[in-house]
Amino acid sequence: MSHTAERKEKNCLNCGTIVQGRYCQNCGQENIVPKETFWHMFTHFFYDITHFDTSFFHTIHHLILRPGFLSQEYMIGRRASYPHPIKMYVFSSALFFLLFFSLFKPGDAEDINTDLPLDSTQRAVYLISLQNRLKKDTGNTILQEKFARAKDSSKILKVSDTLTKKPENFSINFGDKDYKTFAVYDSVQQTLPPAERNGWLSRRIIKRGIEINNKYKDNPDEAITKLFGVFFHRLPYLLFVSLPLFALILKLVYVRRKQYYYADHGVFTIHLYVFSFILLMVVFGIDKLKEITGWKFMEFITAVLFIWLVSYLYVAMRKFYKQGWFKTFVKFLLVSLLSLLMMVLLFVIFLIFSVANI
């Protein structure tokens, strides 16, 4: 309810019905003075946000400690006491990816440890590796120089010194052959019978590959950095697309349970994803704390949380769908396998789209 003054007139400004109280019994609009100050708008917005946050945090303990409970409550119609599943997903995913993108960056994988010195154990392993390579290629002067440098304990040896040289040229291939230019590709297509030529989509994909190869052929580092950057920022979309597909898997697995509609499986999936977001945020926090303090027992806590994440699905399925432990376990394994295949397929599709957009 807003704090704006109620109108003296009792006709609803939205539908014209004579209002009996503060709210119209026909359309639900609040019968208040239509003109409001900017401050009223701001406070109303702030109240809505904080009210939702409060209800969300008051609901977390049900979500975490009672797997399947919120989905069951929603299905039987008890909905006013809990935030809407869609709002829960939007809020939790926004928090999750805000934390995720602040902790992890696309270039982290390339930059980690390259300038750190090797310790004695790492140096010994590196020397053995060079020795084995020299036995197979005794005349390799580059390996000889690397071996001599590694043996000299007076010199600091960094991780970057042990890395092999990156390829000089960057190349991807969307077709069965490696075409260097559009002209070469078009000429090859012209020599083929019409029935064997690539269709419109295949031509677009292959020509995009040629364009990317020519653009980054002398700068593979830039291509890899951009690829990781584009794919990295598509992760929220990947998860969002996976949500209805996961619900579809549940629908197929429980196809004989006619009382569950696709929307019910969708609500169950949303609650599962929200729980996953919350648990992963806790894992990120523990990992950061371990990095700061060096406490090794944090690794055990992380392992326990991941076991909890996997077992949560089984417990939630059993409580929500109300089947025996063995039947639920078989369906749990089937859902896990199908969802893994689904995620791998989405990963490949999004990676291809990322390659096409670098």
Side-chain angles (χ1 to χ4, degrees), residues 31 87 100 113 141 181 188 196 218 225 275 314 318 334:
N31 188 34
K87 287 186 177 180
F100 181 80
N113 296 332
T141 56
T181 64
V188 171
E196 297 180 13
D218 297 323
T225 300
F275 170 79
Y314 168 76
R318 188 172 181 203
L334 183 58

Side-chain angles (χ1 to χ4, degrees), residues 66-86:
R66 306 175 70 180
F69 171 76
L70 287 181
S71 305
Q72 194 174 38
E73 290 285 282
Y74 188 90
M75 183 178 174
I76 62 180
R78 297 196 189 106
R79 304 176 182 181
S81 301
Y82 314 106
H84 193 277
I86 296 294

Side-chain angles (χ1 to χ4, degrees), residues 213-236:
N213 287 335
N214 290 332
K215 182 178 180 180
Y216 297 106
K217 63 181 179 181
D218 297 323
N219 196 354
D221 289 339
E222 182 184 358
I224 293 171
T225 300
K226 284 191 174 183
L227 174 60
F228 275 101
V230 172
F231 180 78
F232 199 72
H233 288 93
R234 288 178 184 268
L235 287 177

Side-chain angles (χ1 to χ4, degrees), residues 123 148-157:
R123 194 167 191 141
R149 177 178 172 79
K151 284 186 66 178
D152 188 355
S153 57
S154 64
K155 295 182 179 179
I156 297 175
L157 196 66

Side-chain angles (χ1 to χ4, degrees), residues 194-206:
E196 297 180 13
R197 295 173 187 172
N198 295 133
W200 175 84
L201 181 59
S202 298
R203 289 199 304 272
R204 291 292 301 272
I205 293 174
I206 292 174

